[in-house]
Amino acid sequence: MLTENEAREVIGSDAHGSEGDKLGSVEQLFLDDETGRPEFVTVKTGLFGTKETFIPVADASWSGGRLTMPFTKDKVKGAPQVDAEGGHLDRDEEQRLYEYYAMSYSDSAGYAGRDETVTTGTGINTTTDTDTTTGTAGYVGDAAGTEGHDTSGPTTDDAMTRSEERVRVGTTQQETGRVRLRKYVTEEQETHTVPVRKERAVLEREPVTDANVDRATSGPDLSDEEHEVVLNEERVVVEKTVEPVERVRI
């Protein structure tokens, strides 16, 4: 059985079934109005967590930040949908849930009410408002001023003091971490395709015919003359430059 402190810790955690399957996220905690003991939690189930399902926690266990319920995932998915208006379950709704989960239910059981949640800063605290009564409790005398008798101690007067818990909400500042800005150099490989042009020499032979004999014989006489042609081609040149791209500020 969960203790009250353990039950408060389960809010926001993931609930798991008896076979290890994840049931959903715990959304609310319901306490017995008379005893203050944890009685139900609601778990977000369904597609995208669109509905809340009530699960009794009498036989649940909390260990290492993990809430384990004694029911399978299919059993929880088929649970009756209950709308707790005003944060409370009536007796009929409680009995219907206990019967579905095959658990005993006594008519003397109290009503289950939702645990109140107070938010402070970035954390979540849970607390329950409780009225406590101290002082004398007994017979009050007549108009003549007869004293009352305190059955739990010495006779005092005809009044008692009623107290209640008050919640004070505030914030506190604490160091959560430090940030350091550091620049370092990384290397990346880039591939570029560059078209280049090259000159090539081609020797063309043309037979002498009646049509071109005049041009062929108009040149100089037979000799050892040489002709030279300069060939050029393009080469790829790579040059890197460093350029500023952005400024970073904390």
Side-chain angles (χ1 to χ4, degrees), residues 32-101:
D32 189 300
D33 284 347
E34 295 181 1
T35 65
R37 291 194 301 266
E39 189 166 359
F40 290 97
V41 293
T42 63
V43 175
K44 281 285 189 180
T45 60
L47 185 63
F48 306 116
T50 54
K51 66 178 182 179
E52 289 188 41
T53 302
F54 280 79
I55 308 176
V57 296
D59 297 326
S61 62
W62 173 257
S63 177
R66 179 187 178 99
L67 177 64
T68 302
M69 315 298 290
F71 310 106
T72 64
K73 185 174 184 179
D74 291 338
K75 185 68 174 179
V76 173
K77 288 174 62 177
Q81 293 302 302
V82 175
D83 183 16
E85 296 183 0
H88 282 76
L89 294 174
D90 59 32
R91 293 187 185 274
D92 292 338
E93 291 170 334
E94 286 188 80
Q95 186 170 2
R96 184 155 62 102
L97 288 169
Y98 275 113
E99 289 176 350
Y100 173 78
Y101 287 105

Side-chain angles (χ1 to χ4, degrees), residues 5 12 33 41 65 76 92 103 116 120 150 176 223:
N5 289 335
D33 284 347
V41 293
V76 173
D92 292 338
M103 300 177 65
E116 299 298 331
T120 61
D150 191 346
T176 58
S223 65

